Amino acid sequence: DAGVTQSPTHLIKTRGQQVTLRCSPKSGHDTVSWYQQALGQGPQFIFQYYEEEERQRGNFPDRFSGHQFPNYSSELNVNALLLGDSALYLCASSPGGGRGSEAFFGQGTRLTVV
Amino acid sequence: AQKITQTQPGMFVQEKEAVTLDCTYDTSDQSYGLFWYKQPSSGEMIFLIYQGSYDEQNATEGRYSLNFQKARKSANLVISASQLGDSAMYFCAMRTGGSYIPTFGRGTSLIVHP
């Protein structure tokens, strides 16, 4: 059984460009959350998707948007990239609407903005 | 507002010895959950252990145990019989009853010496 998979693993983009990151949740999981982890920091919550809707959002600008598909996979889009968007982006999936204690993370996408 | 504090930026331990990683939290909610995650250099966040605020027994998972002291608002992780593979970043996180989203601390880097 595959766990949470994220693609790509590494990405280099130029300031001002747009990027799309992808996440496939663990089998049986219906809730996907996205986090940004800057170097030396803990993960910061971006948003969570459940039933193809954004259910909760952290303190991130509208340049960060997302989508969840009927098969529960998800995308994170970032427009007008800034140097400060360079970070590890983590996807986490949970079963049962995300209310339980179980959450599995992917290996992350390391985004570098130059 | 909820807050997680990890005051130890780095810890060193000899192989086969036990180590305690500190975590204190602040919340006004009566219902909350506390998590510990391990993040090796590969980037993936690995779930270790969970403690609910109403759980009377301290949580244990193999070599991991959570020393939960509710009155002191602390949730320290104890790793017994440290192994070289335990070298990683460790994050404490809390999710309050009304939210689906955990808040993470800044992490503690653990290095296990042979």
Side-chain angles (χ1 to χ4, degrees), chain B residues 5-23:
Chain B
T5 303
Q6 294 181 255
T7 57
Q8 306 154 314
M11 290 286 286
F12 297 86
V13 66
Q14 197 83 21
E15 192 178 9
K16 299 180 185 177
E17 293 188 348
V19 62
T20 298
L21 306 184
D22 294 342
C23 173

Side-chain angles (χ1 to χ4, degrees), chain B residues 85-106:
Chain B
D86 293 336
S87 295
M89 285 293 294
Y90 288 80
F91 291 92
C92 179
M94 176 176 65
R95 187 181 72 200
T96 56
S99 172
Y100 299 97
I101 310 304
T103 299
F104 286 81
R106 295 189 64 166

